[in-house]
């Protein structure tokens, strides 16, 4: 993946632009209070889930992005 492709795939995506698919699993989310968390989105219930919290309204989430690849120390 080129640097420009990496920048595009790891940018904040406004929820008005598109929502993640359920099979995307956990993503980073930015809420209207400025906090950044990990969460999942349910297409079925149209809710976001953060940790053990039940769904939060879609209006609370402003943007999301895929999680980066985990750190792998060189052998």
């Amino acid at each position: 993946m080129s640097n420009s492709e990496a920048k595009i795939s790891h940018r904040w995506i406004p929820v008005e632009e598109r929502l993640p698919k359920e099979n995307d699993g956990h993503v980073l989310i930015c809420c209207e209070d400025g906090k950044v968390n990990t969460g999942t989105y349910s297409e079925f219930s149209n809710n976001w889930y953060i940790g053990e919290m039940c769904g939060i309204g879609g209006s609370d989430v402003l943007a999301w992005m895929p999680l980066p690849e985990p750190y792998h120390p060189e052998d």
Side-chain angles (χ1 to χ4, degrees), residues 5-36:
E5 289 173 325
K7 287 179 184 176
I8 291 171
S9 68
H10 284 88
R11 69 173 181 85
W12 286 108
I13 302 166
V15 295
E16 295 84 19
E17 184 179 314
R18 70 181 169 94
L19 292 165
K21 300 289 184 198
E22 256 182 87
N23 61 353
D24 287 338
H26 280 83
V27 295
L28 286 175
I29 60 174
C30 183
C31 296
E32 63 183 24
D33 62 5
K35 292 183 180 174
V36 174

Side-chain angles (χ1 to χ4, degrees), residues 13-69:
I13 302 166
V15 295
E16 295 84 19
E17 184 179 314
R18 70 181 169 94
L19 292 165
K21 300 289 184 198
E22 256 182 87
N23 61 353
D24 287 338
H26 280 83
V27 295
L28 286 175
I29 60 174
C30 183
C31 296
E32 63 183 24
D33 62 5
K35 292 183 180 174
V36 174
N37 294 294
T38 58
T40 56
Y41 177 72
S42 169
E43 294 172 280
F44 177 75
S45 65
N46 192 33
N47 279 321
W48 288 91
Y49 295 88
I50 302 173
E52 298 300 318
M53 291 177 57
C54 291
I56 63 170
S59 62
D60 295 335
V61 177
L62 300 176
W64 66 278
M65 74 167 60
L67 291 174
E69 291 295 318

